Amino acid sequence: MLEPNPQNGQKKLLLVLGAMLLISVVIGVIATIASP
């Protein structure tokens, strides 16, 4: 899938990766707090 603007596509990919990383960190923190 070719993007008309590669910069925009790269930024979108970076945003998705950042969101995934943030979600995994949040899940890790919740798991740490929830564990006895």
Side-chain angles (χ1 to χ4, degrees):
M1 198 167 129
L2 285 166
E3 297 254 354
N5 190 358
Q7 197 80 31
N8 193 31
Q10 202 172 24
K11 197 183 282 184
K12 196 175 179 181
L13 183 72
L14 215 98
L15 197 76
V16 169
L17 285 170
M20 280 167 64
L21 189 76
L22 193 75
I23 288 163
S24 43
V25 167
V26 168
I27 288 168
V29 170
I30 290 167
T32 306
I33 293 167
S35 65

